[in-house]
Structures are given as C-alpha cells and as structure tokens.
Amino acid sequence: MAVVANTSSGAGDHEIAPVTTLRELALAAAAPAALRAAIRIGVAEALGDTPVPVDRLAKKLEVDAGVLERLLRNLSCYGIFADTADGVVHTSTSALLHEEHPQSLKHWVLWVTEPWTWELWPHLEHAVRQGGQGLFEDLYGSEFFAHLHKEWPESTEVFNRSQTELSRITSASIANTLNLGDVKTIADVGGGRGYNLAVLLEANPHLEGVLVDLPAVVANPDPRLRPGGALASRARVMAGDCLEGIPVEADVYLFKSILEWDDERTVTALRNAVAAGRPGGKVLVITNLVDDSPEVRYATGIDLLFLLNTNGKRHTLKGITRLVERSGLRLEGVQPIKPLLHLVEAAIPR
C-alpha cells in the first residue's frame, strides 16, 4: 500500500489544500503581530496617494528597510498594503489603518492586539478544560477592567478610542433603524464617550439623551455633548456603573455592544434597567449575534477573547432572548441592523 500520495496526478493536487490551510492557520498569529507593528511604526500615515519605495519609506519611519520589506510582504498576503513596481501603496483595507480615515479601525486593531492579549491566549486550553470563570482574576488578582484602569491606563485609552471607531461605522445604520419618534428621553448605558448618542440626537431633534458610563470614561465625552457643545442643551453626561444601578429614569434604555459579559452580569444590568425605568418603557440591546453574523470568524474570535478577559461571551439569538426574559423584560422582537448588528427590543412590563 502506498503511504505517500502521488501528487503528480490531478487528484493528488487536492491533497495539498488541507496541509496548506493548517500550516497557514498555525502561523496566523504573525498577521495580527504584523498589523500591530505596522500601526505602531506609522506605516499607514506615512503613505499618501502615490507609491513610496521601501527604502525611502523606511528612512521616513526610521526603521530597518530589509525588515520593513519582510513585514509588508506578509501583510500584502492579506491585501494590506501592496508592493508595486514604483513602491508601496495603500489598498482599500490598509487605508482603514490611517487615523484620519472615516472608517478607521486603527485603535480597534491595537485593542485586540494589546500586550495583555498575548499573555491571555495561552490560557485558552485551561478555560476549555475548567471554564473561564475567574481566569483573569486568578492570573492578575482583580477584575479585568479594574486592572486595566490601574495597571494599563494606555490600554484603557486605546479601548475608548476603539469603541468610538466602531460607533462611527455603525451609528448611522442604528439611527436609521431605531424608530424614536414617540420617545422623549433615551439613556445610552455604557455608551462610552457618547458618539452613538450624539448621532441619535442629531437624527432626532426632539430627543433628549443621557450618557451613562464609568467615571473615567465620561470624563472626556464627545465634544457635542459637553457644555457649550452643539447638543449640550439636550444631553446629560452621568457617571454610573450599570452593574451597580442605573441612575436615571428614561423612556428607552440602550445597551449597545456592552452586554457581552457572563450571563449573570448581563441579567443584572438588564434588571437594573427594569428597576430604573417606568412600566411600558423600552430596553434596546444592540449586538452582533454569533450564530447569525456575516463575520463569523470575527464573531467567534472575539467571543474567545471575551472568555479570557472578562469571562464574557458573544451571545446567540437563543441565549440573548433567554437572558432578556430572565431579567423580567417582555421580548418584543429581534431584527437585523445592516450590515453587522442585531436589535433586540424588549419592554418593561406594565
């Protein structure tokens, strides 16, 4: 019996694909490392509209030309930067690494490649064997975000900027989807610096809004929401922790991309909205459902990262609806927000 496949035949050629797939996947960590390095040395901002030879680009960035060429060669495999006869140029994908791009993901890429992520990934085996509960606390002695603010303040700033970037990409679609015509007040719970709330207020001139998040986050809100800002007359900024209580009564409570904790904390946050609101009030959960995502590799990957840092998760449709009902809310419907998100609408029982 032949042990080695005869790769000279057409049939044998098909045997190469699984080997190639596995070899590339096993070295896939090189791609985020290369992305991070390219961002940190400033490649995206150093390129303009015309090709730049690698040696000139390296001189501008004050880096080694030979290693820079190797770095860019790896990234070009993924359509990030391109090497032409005249030099290095942007692609539509690498352009998103530029800080000034309207759909920039520069800080989001930095966030998911921060040094602490590389410390956590080797512990995935332990999480699979034992469950993720308490993993981060066992490693570092405190809860993830508390540790982040205390020990890695620069990473906290990266996180805040990354959330604003994601809001820039999705907020217009959210504003177009939400029917807030009969709503007087909306509380954006865990709304970061308030970019999403500002877009909702701009789209709904009758609406008043409250931004609620941790003190360190709301200390530097979106300029439109600050005193003297364009939306200041219709906006309030309040410090609060939705796991402890929500310090405002509103017609609608919005949870956008934050209920990605474990089930118990998710239920706690939703119950706090029920306690803060009035009967008949609405609770809106906006999230990317892992079982109905057009970006399944992203959704399942971020799900595993949440497991390791906060013992959190990306919810399935069945999972989030069950948690909504457990919290005492009445589920009213689920609909997509194109292209990436879902809206889960619930009401506080009368």
Side-chain angles (χ1 to χ4, degrees):
M1 176 183 293
V3 178
V4 180
N6 180 6
T7 57
S8 63
S9 69
D13 290 344
H14 295 296
E15 298 299 323
I16 298 174
V19 172
T20 301
T21 298
L22 194 57
R23 279 157 53 96
E24 291 178 351
L25 183 60
L27 282 170
L35 267 176
R36 182 175 181 84
I39 291 174
R40 296 278 292 179
I41 65 177
V43 176
E45 284 80 12
L47 290 176
D49 298 328
T50 58
V52 180
V54 171
D55 56 349
R56 190 191 306 167
L57 180 62
K59 185 176 182 179
K60 184 176 183 179
L61 296 172
E62 299 181 336
V63 300
D64 185 278
V67 178
L68 176 62
E69 184 175 24
R70 293 163 65 183
L71 178 77
L72 296 176
R73 186 183 298 137
N74 175 266
L75 289 173
S76 68
C77 296
Y78 301 93
I80 301 165
F81 307 111
D83 186 18
T84 71
D86 297 320
V88 181
V89 295
H90 266 302
T91 64
S92 58
T93 304
S94 66
L96 302 183
L97 300 178
H98 196 297
E99 181 120 24
E100 301 304 321
H101 194 284
Q103 291 187 307
S104 175
L105 284 172
K106 174 181 178 176
H107 291 95
W108 185 86
V109 173
L110 287 174
W111 169 245
V112 296
T113 59
E114 285 288 89
W116 56 264
T117 65
W118 301 92
E119 294 179 21
L120 286 179
W121 283 121
H123 297 280
L124 185 57
E125 176 191 350
H126 174 82
V128 174
R129 291 182 181 277
Q130 306 294 332
Q133 186 66 45
L135 187 148
F136 191 91
E137 288 85 345
D138 289 344
L139 290 173
Y140 296 100
S142 62
E143 180 268 339
F144 172 69
F145 277 105
H147 188 81
L148 197 72
H149 283 280
K150 181 180 179 181
E151 302 295 337
W152 302 321
E154 291 183 2
S155 192
T156 301
E157 178 62 17
V158 171
F159 172 75
N160 290 333
R161 293 189 179 191
S162 75
Q163 299 310 293
T164 298
E165 287 178 343
L166 294 179
S167 290
R168 287 196 184 106
I169 294 173
T170 60
S171 290
S173 295
I174 292 171
N176 289 335
T177 300
L178 298 186
N179 181 4
L180 301 174
D182 296 329
V183 176
K184 293 181 179 179
T185 57
I186 185 169
D188 192 351
V189 182
R193 290 178 170 169
Y195 185 93
N196 184 69
L197 179 61
V199 171
L200 290 177
L201 293 179
E202 287 177 336
N204 298 273
H206 68 284
L207 189 64
E208 295 185 356
V210 184
L211 175 66
V212 181
D213 212 320
L214 298 174
V217 179
V218 298
N220 186 28
D222 188 289
R224 291 168 290 182
L225 307 180
R226 299 174 191 172
L231 301 171
S233 64
R234 294 190 285 125
R236 286 185 291 157
V237 177
M238 300 183 67
D241 181 347
C242 64
L243 295 176
E244 300 295 331
I246 298 175
V248 60
E249 185 179 275
D251 299 325
V252 172
Y253 294 91
L254 175 64
F255 293 87
K256 174 185 170 290
S257 301
I258 69 160
L259 296 183
E260 294 161 337
W261 303 305
D262 60 84
D263 290 355
E264 294 310 311
R265 283 186 289 180
T266 296
V267 170
T268 295
L270 291 172
R271 284 177 176 168
N272 285 337
V274 173
R278 298 182 292 269
K282 295 293 182 70
V283 174
L284 307 179
V285 178
I286 295 177
T287 188
N288 176 247
L289 296 174
V290 72
D291 54 346
D292 192 25
S293 172
E295 298 181 321
V296 65
R297 291 182 182 178
Y298 159 75
T300 55
I302 202 73
D303 176 56
L304 293 178
L305 183 58
F306 288 160
L307 169 70
L308 296 175
N309 64 6
T310 63
N311 191 38
K313 63 171 64 174
R314 268 289 164 87
H315 296 290
T316 63
L317 174 59
K318 181 179 179 180
I320 191 62
T321 54
R322 179 174 54 84
L323 296 178
V324 164
E325 291 167 349
R326 269 186 60 191
S327 69
L329 289 160
R330 184 180 70 252
L331 181 67
E332 295 195 332
V334 180
Q335 64 173 301
I337 299 177
K338 299 294 184 181
L340 305 174
L341 298 171
H342 293 82
L343 169 65
V344 182
E345 185 171 357
I348 301 172
R350 294 185 183 276

